[in-house]
Amino acid sequence: MALVSRRSDGIAGEVRVPGDKSISHRALMIATQSVGETRIAGLLEGADVMASAVALRSLGADVSRQPDGVWRVLGRGVGGLAEPDAVLDLGNAGTGARLLMGLLSTHPFASFLTGDESLCRRPMERVMAPLRPMGAAFTARTGGRLPIAVVGAQDPIPGSYEMPVASAQVKSAVLLAGLNAPGVTSVFESRSTRDHTETLLRHFGAEVWSEAASNRVGCWISVRGQPELSPAPITVPGDFSSATFPLVAALIAPGSELGLAGVGVNPLRTGLLETLREMGADVVIENRRIDAGEPVADLRVRGGPLRGVDVPAERVAAMIDEFPAFAVAAACAEGVSRMRDVGELRVKESDRLQAIAEGLRACGVVVAESDDALVIHGAGRPPAGGATVKARMDHRIAMAFLVLGCASETPVAIDDADPIHTSFPGFVDLMNGIGARIAEVPA
Ligand code: S3P
């Protein structure tokens, strides 16, 4: 289904976005490794997380939604998953596929993983490399792509791995593999990435610690293997990454004021807030609290002029999923915005550097793209718009351009709204409820 977004008269109201995707995948997976019943409130019921739930059921875990909307997982203990009868299809979910590969690599059976066209294009060698020395074997398509057969270790070996790319998915895959290996498994990261896996593992009673390296910049993160994990209730916070779409809409549509309740504000995720503030955005964080180890807060944002900014390379990991939303803000800002060291964006759900550059150009914005950088020339007012942008099976590209349409002079359309369901069910209704004008394009 194609959608079109017309200029809004202002974004206003109080909303709550769906649960955090990263935490939802982890909550389900880690709960299966505990002994007993875990109750998860606020789980994201988007297609990505549902694919993880189905895969975990195929692996013998009892995962169900209760009538009150709380999810219940009956854990099987560390290393307790069972060989699945059928292929595990993770759909569009990179997090689901990579974290599950970690978990499965120390379970002593064979499983076969696949995904949709977008996921089958994404690089998986980055997770297989650290898992082989732990005893797992993989058969992958050329280029280390899905579908992939995983044969888990009979006698898992604890891992020690220095990550060449800053990736929370790789780190988490190794730590989850380490859960069922005797002894200590450690991962080195030179730049901090989201730490939801560490936080949740601790929440379930695992021993997880991090130590700064003595001889260079970075941190070793370790887990002691084969713990007995105890179920602990979880409330999943609202997804900061999802919140950024209505938030940026409110920033660029004149006369807006928006409240977002119960949003996860883990500092390893909220790099975009710092960037937006440097651009002059009025965003206030209220009612900070901690839930299941994760910082949560309410956000209040008021529309106003933005200026161009340089995103420091050290902040890229903390806003890795927010570049599509950021690009929309940059396109409306006064002056030039630059992002460098963002080559990782080429291997997300789509090649996001290309998708952003092409989409913005079609909307009348001057953009320069190189291998791992993007420069956006903002004119100090929303661009012309008037284009149909390809969503490329990428939820965040689809949502970002609908947000641009909330402010652009003429409407912005996307050719396919389907990918939005992977992370943000109810996006269109939520946006229209606060003043957006998003509608189906008649066939
Ligand atoms: C995620 C980590 C990031 C992010 C992705 C979710 C996670 O990927 O882009 O959307 O839940 O661990 P990388 O680890 O590949 O950077």
Side-chain angles (χ1 to χ4, degrees):
M1 182 189 30
L3 292 177
V4 61
S5 175
R6 297 189 166 78
R7 184 150 64 180
S8 157
D9 295 327
I11 299 288
E14 303 289 324
V15 284
R16 197 172 269 279
V17 295
D20 186 279
K21 182 153 74 70
S22 291
I23 297 175
S24 295
H25 283 294
R26 287 159 170 82
L28 290 176
M29 288 187 202
I30 295 173
T32 68
Q33 300 297 291
S34 68
V35 181
E37 178 184 307
T38 298
R39 293 175 67 80
I40 308 169
L43 189 87
L44 171 63
E45 295 180 347
D48 274 19
V49 176
M50 295 302 99
S52 278
V54 170
L56 291 166
R57 275 190 205 121
S58 308
L59 290 157
D62 185 338
V63 179
S64 59
R65 185 184 198 273
Q66 306 301 289
D68 60 359
V70 171
W71 283 71
R72 191 191 68 157
V73 179
L74 291 181
R76 298 173 59 101
V78 166
L81 297 175
E83 185 171 280
D85 295 337
V87 173
L88 307 174
D89 186 348
L90 278 308
N92 193 251
T95 307
R98 293 190 176 128
L99 270 57
L100 204 55
M101 282 169 72
L103 206 52
L104 292 174
S105 68
T106 50
H107 277 76
F109 53 74
S111 27
F112 299 84
L113 273 64
T114 192
D116 70 6
E117 208 183 304
S118 151
L119 188 56
C120 287
R121 277 196 295 264
R122 299 181 65 184
M124 295 292 160
E125 178 57 30
R126 55 178 65 192
V127 277
M128 296 188 281
L131 299 173
R132 284 191 198 97
M134 299 180 77
F138 301 92
T139 305
R141 262 184 339 123
T142 316
R145 321 268 149 165
L146 290 168
I148 289 176
V150 182
V151 182
Q154 289 288 341
D155 294 305
I157 302 161
S160 172
Y161 186 65
E162 300 188 22
M163 290 198 294
V165 278
S167 167
Q169 292 179 352
V170 173
K171 171 178 66 175
S172 301
V174 176
L175 294 176
L176 291 177
L179 262 191
N180 195 30
V184 174
T185 288
S186 303
V187 192
F188 180 78
E189 56 180 12
S190 50
R191 282 199 176 141
S192 301
T193 63
R194 63 190 72 190
D195 57 359
H196 307 305
T197 303
E198 297 90 304
T199 301
L200 263 186
L201 282 172
R202 282 194 199 103
H203 185 63
F204 279 79
E207 204 186 325
V208 178
W209 65 99
S210 71
E211 291 159 303
S214 51
N215 49 352
R216 60 196 153 142
V217 177
C219 229
W220 282 98
I221 296 143
S222 305
V223 63
R224 190 174 303 285
Q226 301 184 331
E228 176 142 332
L229 298 183
S230 323
I234 299 169
T235 301
V236 179
D239 196 322
F240 178 81
S241 297
S242 298
T244 60
F245 295 105
L247 190 151
V248 168
L251 284 175
I252 62 173
S256 299
E257 174 161 357
L258 181 69
L260 292 145
V263 183
V265 287
N266 183 319
L268 295 167
R269 293 285 298 281
T270 53
L272 180 68
L273 276 191
E274 283 161 67
T275 304
L276 290 172
R277 283 192 176 135
E278 288 168 7
M279 297 173 84
D282 179 356
V283 187
V284 179
I285 303 185
E286 299 166 342
N287 297 326
R288 281 184 184 273
R289 51 211 186 261
I290 299 282
D291 209 329
E294 287 286 347
V296 183
D298 305 330
L299 306 179
R300 183 150 301 281
V301 46
R302 285 184 194 83
L306 300 172
R307 51 183 179 269
V309 73
D310 281 2
V311 179
E314 315 79 73
R315 196 184 291 153
V316 167
M319 57 178 281
I320 189 69
D321 291 335
E322 277 57 78
F323 284 95
F326 167 67
V328 167
C332 300
E334 167 91 56
V336 179
S337 291
R338 296 184 184 83
M339 50 216 108
R340 57 203 157 82
D341 267 5
V342 288
E344 268 296 294
L345 297 185
R346 295 206 182 274
V347 289
K348 294 296 178 189
E349 286 83 332
S350 70
D351 177 343
R352 284 188 179 154
L353 286 187
Q354 193 185 60
I356 292 169
E358 278 186 21
L360 286 184
R361 276 190 200 121
C363 291
V365 183
V366 177
V367 182
E369 177 193 350
S370 66
D371 275 0
D372 67 347
L374 204 60
V375 179
I376 297 174
H377 294 258
R381 61 187 143 71
T388 297
V389 174
K390 286 198 198 82
R392 303 168 185 239
M393 303 185 82
D394 188 332
H395 52 139
R396 294 198 172 107
I397 294 298
M399 290 187 279
F401 281 97
L402 291 174
V403 165
L404 185 62
C406 294
S408 57
E409 287 165 28
T410 52
V412 176
I414 53 158
D415 66 339
D416 179 16
D418 269 3
I420 295 174
H421 301 296
T422 62
S423 68
F424 202 151
F427 172 76
V428 173
D429 287 345
L430 181 142
M431 291 296 294
N432 286 344
I434 54 177
R437 295 167 61 211
I438 301 174
E440 219 173 296
V441 177

